[in-house]
Amino acid sequence: MTMECVNPEGLRLDVRQIQNSSHQTLETRMTPILMKGHERPLTFLRYNRDGDLLFSCAKDHTPTLWLAHNGERLGTYRGHNGAVSCCDVSRDSSRLITGSADQTAKLWDVKSGKQLFTFNFGSSARSVDFSVGDHLAVITTDHFMGVSSAIHVKRIAEDPQDQVGDSVLVLQSPDGKKKINRAVWGPLNQTIVSGGEDTVIRIWDTETGKLLKQSDVEVGHKEAITSLCKAADDSHFLTGSHDKTAKACLWDMRSLTLIKSYTTVVPVNAVAMSPLLNHVVLGGGQDASAVTTTDHRAGKFEAKFYDTILEEEIGGVKGHFGPINALAFNPDGKSFSSGGEDGYVRLHHFDSNYFNIKI
């Protein structure tokens, strides 16, 4: 697997060679670990806080747990009857929460795989996210049969026997017919940040349910927001979209000010930020129905790396034979994973050359 960098003329060169005035190609070689445990396209990836476990979700109904260093499959979580769109794991790695098209979100015991509780809704559960402290969870649900898309806040009991399904807070989407693809907690659990098909990013007050801010349609995304991930310190977040420019935007968490923008030539399905370096990675690709999946180059099924500050592309990692639907950095910043339409999870450990890349 090659991590290669692109100069302005389009030749694929390692950027370190430009600084050294050398025109020889020096490529960073990374051999991925291919993890085949899903029968259908991947939808989401999540590392635990310690970075030793990786959770994957797919359209095959069965969230899967892997060892993050070697890709060994540890087990699966069986109980959903629909595609699983999202998951999150508690800070102590004891509990998993998943959201599914079967109109439920489920709490699981990570170690045993036992279902602890099921939250029932009248439509698909699209996104899930534990709060800081794991005492709350935010869950988004889709529009269906007269039920508007919404954001639900659930209290998570310490003892599963005390768990109830009632919502502490329900936030109705201004456009109830469009999906809220992602909702995450803001700093100190004081806000919720959401984004979805209506292209607008919103910040909500978790005490009152009041809408505090929303993105300017003139400077924000022009098409559906597909993904949203936070920085490790909660100071900013990154969003990806199906814009014609396939733009991924970096926003300030409190002011909702657009800080940076990263542009690629294909729709963006997934975004991630390195916790170690000033790098962001974007993944996507043309829809499988629009291009052949026999050659990954045809659909540009590539994870693209960008310098966070300069907004310049610094490299790409190929390999998937379909659009990339999920991306995640290990919390230690020394590896990342990608999940594709092809049903594979690809685990990449960076070699030393990656950490020496300079612009």
Side-chain angles (χ1 to χ4, degrees), residues 282-349:
L282 316 181
Q286 297 178 41
D287 187 84
S289 63
V291 296
T292 176
T293 56
T294 58
D295 187 342
H296 56 74
R297 292 172 297 178
K300 299 188 182 298
F301 308 133
E302 188 173 9
K304 295 282 191 179
F305 283 70
Y306 290 77
D307 183 275
T308 306
I309 307 302
L310 300 179
E311 306 176 44
E312 295 179 1
E313 182 186 334
I314 58 174
V317 178
K318 299 178 181 179
H320 283 287
F321 287 83
I324 296 172
N325 297 333
L327 289 167
F329 267 98
N330 191 299
D332 67 8
K334 296 180 180 180
S335 62
F336 86 103
S337 296
S338 57
E341 194 77 16
D342 55 11
Y344 281 93
V345 178
R346 299 175 70 90
L347 173 61
H348 305 265
H349 291 280

Coordinates of all heavy atoms in Angstrom, one line a residue, residues 282-349:
L282 N -10.1 12.4 4.2 CA -11.4 12.3 3.6 C -11.5 11.1 2.8 O -10.6 10.6 2.2 CB -11.6 13.5 2.7 CG -11.2 14.9 3.1 CD1 -11.5 15.9 2.1 CD2 -11.8 15.3 4.5
G283 N -12.7 10.5 2.9 CA -13.0 9.3 2.1 C -14.3 9.4 1.4 O -15.3 10.0 1.9
G284 N -14.5 8.7 0.3 CA -15.7 8.7 -0.4 C -15.6 8.0 -1.7 O -15.0 6.9 -1.8
G285 N -16.1 8.6 -2.8 CA -16.0 8.1 -4.1 C -17.3 8.1 -4.8 O -18.4 8.3 -4.2
Q286 N -17.3 8.0 -6.1 CA -18.6 8.0 -6.9 C -19.4 6.8 -6.5 O -18.9 5.7 -6.1 CB -18.3 7.9 -8.4 CG -17.5 9.1 -8.9 CD -17.2 9.0 -10.4 OE1 -18.1 8.5 -11.1 NE2 -16.0 9.3 -10.8
D287 N -20.7 6.9 -6.5 CA -21.6 5.8 -6.2 C -21.3 4.6 -7.0 O -20.9 4.7 -8.2 CB -23.0 6.2 -6.4 CG -24.0 5.2 -5.9 OD1 -24.3 5.2 -4.7 OD2 -24.4 4.3 -6.7
A288 N -21.4 3.4 -6.4 CA -21.1 2.2 -7.1 C -21.9 2.0 -8.4 O -21.4 1.3 -9.3 CB -21.3 1.0 -6.2
S289 N -23.1 2.5 -8.4 CA -23.9 2.4 -9.6 C -23.4 3.2 -10.8 O -23.8 3.0 -11.9 CB -25.3 2.7 -9.3 OG -25.4 4.1 -9.0
A290 N -22.5 4.2 -10.5 CA -22.0 5.1 -11.5 C -20.7 4.7 -12.2 O -20.4 5.1 -13.2 CB -21.9 6.5 -11.0
V291 N -20.0 3.9 -11.5 CA -18.6 3.5 -12.0 C -18.4 2.0 -11.8 O -19.1 1.3 -11.0 CB -17.5 4.2 -11.3 CG1 -17.6 5.7 -11.5 CG2 -17.5 4.0 -9.8
T292 N -17.5 1.4 -12.5 CA -17.1 0.0 -12.3 C -16.4 -0.2 -11.0 O -15.6 0.7 -10.5 CB -16.2 -0.5 -13.4 OG1 -15.8 -1.8 -13.1 CG2 -14.9 0.4 -13.6
T293 N -16.6 -1.3 -10.3 CA -15.9 -1.6 -9.1 C -14.8 -2.6 -9.3 O -14.2 -3.1 -8.3 CB -16.9 -2.1 -8.0 OG1 -17.5 -3.3 -8.5 CG2 -17.9 -1.1 -7.6
T294 N -14.4 -2.8 -10.5 CA -13.3 -3.8 -10.8 C -12.0 -3.1 -10.8 O -11.0 -3.8 -10.7 CB -13.5 -4.4 -12.2 OG1 -13.6 -3.3 -13.2 CG2 -14.8 -5.2 -12.3
D295 N -11.9 -1.8 -10.7 CA -10.7 -1.1 -10.6 C -10.9 0.1 -9.7 O -11.7 1.0 -10.0 CB -10.2 -0.6 -12.0 CG -8.9 0.1 -12.0 OD1 -8.4 0.4 -10.9 OD2 -8.3 0.2 -13.1
H296 N -10.1 0.1 -8.6 CA -10.3 1.2 -7.6 C -10.0 2.6 -8.1 O -10.4 3.6 -7.7 CB -9.5 0.9 -6.3 CG -8.1 0.7 -6.5 ND1 -7.2 1.7 -6.8 CD2 -7.4 -0.4 -6.5 CE1 -6.0 1.2 -6.9 NE2 -6.0 -0.1 -6.8
R297 N -9.2 2.6 -9.2 CA -8.8 3.9 -9.8 C -9.9 4.6 -10.5 O -10.0 5.8 -10.6 CB -7.6 3.8 -10.7 CG -6.3 3.4 -10.1 CD -5.2 3.0 -11.1 NE -5.6 1.9 -11.9 CZ -4.9 1.4 -12.9 NH1 -3.8 1.9 -13.2 NH2 -5.3 0.4 -13.6
A298 N -10.8 3.8 -11.1 CA -11.9 4.3 -11.8 C -12.8 5.2 -11.0 O -13.4 6.2 -11.5 CB -12.7 3.2 -12.5
G299 N -13.1 4.8 -9.8 CA -14.0 5.6 -9.0 C -13.3 6.4 -7.9 O -14.0 7.1 -7.1
K300 N -12.0 6.5 -8.0 CA -11.2 7.3 -7.0 C -11.6 6.9 -5.6 O -11.9 7.7 -4.8 CB -11.4 8.8 -7.3 CG -11.0 9.3 -8.6 CD -11.0 10.8 -8.8 CE -10.6 11.2 -10.2 NZ -9.2 10.8 -10.5
F301 N -11.5 5.6 -5.3 CA -11.8 5.1 -4.0 C -10.5 5.2 -3.2 O -9.8 4.2 -3.0 CB -12.3 3.7 -4.1 CG -13.5 3.5 -5.0 CD1 -13.5 2.5 -6.0 CD2 -14.5 4.4 -5.0 CE1 -14.5 2.3 -6.8 CE2 -15.6 4.2 -5.9 CZ -15.6 3.2 -6.8
E302 N -10.2 6.3 -2.7 CA -9.0 6.6 -2.0 C -9.2 7.5 -0.8 O -10.0 8.4 -0.8 CB -8.1 7.4 -3.1 CG -6.6 7.6 -2.7 CD -5.8 8.1 -3.8 OE1 -6.4 8.5 -4.8 OE2 -4.6 8.2 -3.7
A303 N -8.5 7.2 0.3 CA -8.5 8.0 1.4 C -7.5 9.2 1.2 O -6.3 8.9 1.1 CB -8.1 7.2 2.7
K304 N -7.9 10.4 1.2 CA -7.1 11.6 0.8 C -6.7 12.3 2.1 O -7.5 12.6 2.9 CB -7.8 12.5 0.0 CG -8.2 12.0 -1.4 CD -7.0 12.0 -2.3 CE -7.4 11.8 -3.8 NZ -6.2 11.8 -4.7
F305 N -5.4 12.5 2.3 CA -4.8 13.2 3.4 C -4.5 14.7 3.1 O -4.0 15.0 2.0 CB -3.5 12.6 3.9 CG -3.8 11.3 4.7 CD1 -4.2 10.1 4.1 CD2 -3.5 11.3 6.1 CE1 -4.4 9.0 4.8 CE2 -3.7 10.1 6.8 CZ -4.2 9.0 6.2
Y306 N -4.9 15.6 4.0 CA -4.7 17.0 3.8 C -4.0 17.6 5.0 O -4.2 17.2 6.1 CB -6.0 17.7 3.6 CG -6.8 17.4 2.3 CD1 -7.4 16.2 2.2 CD2 -6.8 18.3 1.2 CE1 -8.1 15.9 1.0 CE2 -7.4 18.0 0.1 CZ -8.1 16.8 -0.1 OH -8.7 16.5 -1.2
D307 N -3.2 18.6 4.7 CA -2.6 19.4 5.8 C -3.7 20.3 6.4 O -4.3 21.1 5.7 CB -1.4 20.3 5.3 CG -0.8 21.1 6.4 OD1 -1.3 22.2 6.7 OD2 0.3 20.6 6.9
T308 N -3.9 20.2 7.7 CA -5.0 20.9 8.3 C -4.9 22.4 8.2 O -5.9 23.1 7.9 CB -5.1 20.6 9.8 OG1 -5.1 19.2 10.0 CG2 -6.3 21.2 10.5
I309 N -3.7 22.9 8.3 CA -3.5 24.4 8.3 C -3.5 24.9 6.8 O -4.2 25.9 6.5 CB -2.2 24.8 9.0 CG1 -2.2 24.2 10.4 CG2 -2.1 26.3 9.1 CD1 -3.3 24.6 11.3
L310 N -2.7 24.3 6.0 CA -2.5 24.8 4.6 C -3.6 24.4 3.7 O -3.7 24.9 2.5 CB -1.1 24.3 4.1 CG 0.1 24.8 4.9 CD1 1.4 24.2 4.3 CD2 0.1 26.3 5.0
E311 N -4.4 23.4 4.1 CA -5.6 22.9 3.2 C -5.1 22.2 2.0 O -5.9 22.1 1.0 CB -6.5 24.1 2.9 CG -7.0 24.9 4.1 CD -7.9 26.1 3.7 OE1 -8.8 25.9 2.8 OE2 -7.7 27.1 4.2
E312 N -3.8 21.8 1.9 CA -3.3 21.2 0.7 C -3.3 19.7 0.9 O -3.0 19.1 2.0 CB -1.9 21.7 0.5 CG -1.8 23.1 0.2 CD -0.3 23.6 -0.1 OE1 0.6 22.7 0.0 OE2 -0.1 24.8 -0.3
E313 N -3.6 19.0 -0.2 CA -3.5 17.5 -0.2 C -2.0 17.1 -0.1 O -1.2 17.6 -0.8 CB -4.1 17.0 -1.5 CG -4.1 15.4 -1.6 CD -4.6 14.9 -2.9 OE1 -5.4 15.6 -3.6 OE2 -4.2 13.8 -3.2
I314 N -1.8 16.1 0.8 CA -0.4 15.7 1.0 C -0.3 14.2 0.7 O 0.9 13.7 0.7 CB 0.1 15.9 2.4 CG1 -0.9 15.3 3.5 CG2 0.2 17.4 2.7 CD1 -0.4 15.4 4.9
G315 N -1.3 13.5 0.4 CA -1.2 12.1 0.1 C -2.5 11.4 0.0 O -3.6 11.9 0.2
G316 N -2.4 10.1 -0.4 CA -3.6 9.3 -0.6 C -3.3 7.8 -0.4 O -2.2 7.4 -0.6
V317 N -4.3 7.1 0.2 CA -4.1 5.7 0.4 C -5.2 4.9 -0.4 O -6.4 5.2 -0.2 CB -4.2 5.3 1.9 CG1 -4.1 3.8 2.1 CG2 -3.1 6.0 2.6
K318 N -4.8 4.1 -1.3 CA -5.7 3.4 -2.2 C -6.0 2.0 -1.6 O -5.4 1.6 -0.6 CB -5.2 3.3 -3.6 CG -4.9 4.6 -4.3 CD -4.3 4.4 -5.7 CE -4.1 5.7 -6.4 NZ -3.5 5.5 -7.7
G319 N -6.9 1.3 -2.2 CA -7.1 -0.1 -1.9 C -8.5 -0.6 -1.9 O -8.8 -1.7 -2.3
H320 N -9.5 0.2 -1.6 CA -10.9 -0.2 -1.6 C -11.4 -0.3 -3.0 O -11.0 0.5 -3.9 CB -11.8 0.7 -0.8 CG -11.6 0.6 0.7 ND1 -12.2 -0.5 1.4 CD2 -11.0 1.4 1.6 CE1 -11.9 -0.4 2.7 NE2 -11.2 0.7 2.8
F321 N -12.3 -1.3 -3.2 CA -12.9 -1.5 -4.6 C -14.3 -1.0 -4.6 O -15.2 -1.6 -5.1 CB -12.8 -3.0 -4.9 CG -11.4 -3.4 -5.3 CD1 -10.5 -3.8 -4.3 CD2 -11.0 -3.5 -6.6 CE1 -9.3 -4.2 -4.6 CE2 -9.7 -3.9 -7.0 CZ -8.9 -4.2 -6.0
G322 N -14.5 0.1 -3.9 CA -15.8 0.8 -3.8 C -15.7 2.0 -3.0 O -14.6 2.2 -2.4
P323 N -16.7 2.8 -2.9 CA -16.6 4.0 -2.1 C -16.3 3.8 -0.7 O -16.6 2.7 -0.1 CB -18.1 4.6 -2.2 CG -18.6 4.1 -3.5 CD -18.0 2.7 -3.6
I324 N -15.5 4.7 -0.1 CA -15.2 4.6 1.4 C -16.3 5.2 2.2 O -16.6 6.4 1.9 CB -13.8 5.3 1.6 CG1 -12.7 4.6 0.9 CG2 -13.5 5.4 3.1 CD1 -11.4 5.3 1.0
N325 N -16.9 4.5 3.1 CA -18.0 4.9 3.9 C -17.6 5.3 5.3 O -18.5 5.9 6.0 CB -19.1 3.9 3.9 CG -19.6 3.6 2.5 OD1 -19.6 4.4 1.6 ND2 -20.1 2.3 2.3
A326 N -16.5 4.9 5.8 CA -16.1 5.1 7.2 C -14.6 5.3 7.3 O -13.9 4.6 6.7 CB -16.6 3.9 8.0
L327 N -14.3 6.2 8.2 CA -12.8 6.4 8.5 C -12.7 6.7 10.0 O -13.6 7.2 10.7 CB -12.3 7.7 7.8 CG -12.1 7.6 6.3 CD1 -11.9 9.0 5.7 CD2 -11.0 6.7 5.9
A328 N -11.6 6.2 10.6 CA -11.3 6.5 12.0 C -9.8 6.5 12.3 O -9.1 5.6 11.7 CB -12.0 5.5 12.9
F329 N -9.3 7.4 13.0 CA -7.9 7.4 13.5 C -7.9 6.7 14.9 O -8.7 6.9 15.7 CB -7.4 8.8 13.7 CG -6.7 9.4 12.5 CD1 -7.3 10.2 11.6 CD2 -5.3 9.1 12.3 CE1 -6.7 10.7 10.5 CE2 -4.7 9.6 11.2 CZ -5.3 10.4 10.3
N330 N -6.8 5.9 15.1 CA -6.6 5.4 16.4 C -6.2 6.6 17.3 O -5.6 7.6 16.9 CB -5.4 4.5 16.4 CG -5.2 3.7 17.7 OD1 -5.0 4.3 18.7 ND2 -5.3 2.4 17.6
P331 N -6.7 6.6 18.6 CA -6.4 7.8 19.5 C -4.9 8.1 19.6 O -4.6 9.2 20.0 CB -7.1 7.3 20.8 CG -8.2 6.4 20.4 CD -7.6 5.7 19.2
D332 N -4.0 7.1 19.4 CA -2.6 7.4 19.5 C -2.1 8.0 18.2 O -0.9 8.4 18.2 CB -1.8 6.1 19.8 CG -1.8 5.1 18.7 OD1 -2.3 5.3 17.6 OD2 -1.3 4.0 19.0
G333 N -2.9 8.1 17.2 CA -2.5 8.8 15.9 C -1.5 8.0 15.1 O -1.0 8.5 14.0
K334 N -1.2 6.7 15.4 CA -0.2 6.0 14.7 C -0.8 5.0 13.7 O 0.0 4.3 13.1 CB 0.7 5.2 15.8 CG 1.5 6.2 16.7 CD 2.3 5.4 17.7 CE 3.1 6.3 18.6 NZ 3.9 5.6 19.6
S335 N -2.1 5.0 13.6 CA -2.7 4.1 12.6 C -4.1 4.6 12.4 O -4.7 5.5 13.1 CB -2.8 2.6 13.2 OG -3.6 2.6 14.3
F336 N -4.7 4.2 11.3 CA -6.1 4.6 10.9 C -6.8 3.4 10.2 O -6.1 2.5 9.7 CB -6.2 5.9 10.1 CG -6.0 5.7 8.6 CD1 -7.1 5.7 7.8 CD2 -4.8 5.4 8.1 CE1 -7.0 5.6 6.4 CE2 -4.6 5.3 6.7 CZ -5.8 5.3 5.9
S337 N -8.1 3.4 10.2 CA -8.9 2.4 9.6 C -9.9 3.0 8.6 O -10.3 4.1 8.8 CB -9.6 1.5 10.6 OG -8.7 0.9 11.4
S338 N -10.2 2.2 7.6 CA -11.2 2.7 6.6 C -12.1 1.5 6.3 O -11.7 0.3 6.4 CB -10.5 3.1 5.3 OG -9.7 2.1 4.7
G339 N -13.4 1.8 6.1 CA -14.4 0.8 5.8 C -15.1 1.2 4.5 O -15.4 2.4 4.3
G340 N -15.3 0.2 3.6 CA -15.8 0.5 2.3 C -17.1 -0.2 1.9 O -17.6 -1.1 2.6
E341 N -17.6 0.2 0.7 CA -18.7 -0.4 0.1 C -18.4 -1.9 -0.2 O -19.3 -2.7 -0.4 CB -19.1 0.3 -1.1 CG -20.5 0.0 -1.7 CD -21.6 0.7 -0.9 OE1 -21.3 1.6 -0.2 OE2 -22.8 0.3 -1.1
D342 N -17.1 -2.2 -0.3 CA -16.7 -3.6 -0.6 C -16.8 -4.5 0.5 O -16.5 -5.7 0.4 CB -15.3 -3.6 -1.2 CG -14.3 -2.9 -0.2 OD1 -14.6 -2.6 0.9 OD2 -13.1 -2.7 -0.7
G343 N -17.2 -4.0 1.7 CA -17.4 -4.9 2.9 C -16.1 -5.1 3.7 O -16.1 -5.9 4.7
Y344 N -15.0 -4.5 3.3 CA -13.7 -4.7 4.0 C -13.4 -3.5 4.9 O -13.7 -2.4 4.6 CB -12.6 -4.8 3.0 CG -12.4 -6.2 2.4 CD1 -13.0 -6.5 1.1 CD2 -11.7 -7.2 3.0 CE1 -12.9 -7.7 0.5 CE2 -11.6 -8.5 2.4 CZ -12.2 -8.7 1.2 OH -12.1 -9.9 0.6
V345 N -12.8 -3.9 6.1 CA -12.1 -2.9 6.9 C -10.7 -3.0 6.6 O -10.1 -4.1 6.6 CB -12.4 -3.1 8.4 CG1 -11.6 -2.1 9.2 CG2 -13.9 -3.1 8.7
R346 N -10.0 -1.9 6.3 CA -8.6 -1.9 6.1 C -7.9 -1.1 7.2 O -8.2 0.0 7.4 CB -8.3 -1.3 4.7 CG -8.9 -2.0 3.5 CD -8.7 -1.3 2.2 NE -7.3 -1.4 1.8 CZ -6.8 -2.3 1.1 NH1 -7.5 -3.4 0.7 NH2 -5.5 -2.3 0.7
L347 N -7.0 -1.8 7.9 CA -6.3 -1.2 9.0 C -4.8 -0.9 8.6 O -4.1 -1.8 8.1 CB -6.2 -2.3 10.2 CG -5.4 -1.9 11.4 CD1 -5.8 -0.6 12.0 CD2 -5.4 -3.1 12.4
H348 N -4.5 0.4 8.7 CA -3.2 0.9 8.3 C -2.4 1.4 9.4 O -2.8 2.3 10.1 CB -3.3 2.0 7.3 CG -4.2 1.7 6.1 ND1 -3.7 1.3 4.9 CD2 -5.6 1.7 5.9 CE1 -4.7 1.1 4.0 NE2 -5.8 1.3 4.6
H349 N -1.2 0.8 9.6 CA -0.2 1.3 10.6 C 0.8 2.2 9.9 O 1.4 1.7 8.9 CB 0.4 0.2 11.4 CG -0.4 -0.6 12.3 ND1 -0.8 -0.2 13.5 CD2 -1.1 -1.8 12.1 CE1 -1.6 -1.0 14.1 NE2 -1.8 -2.0 13.3

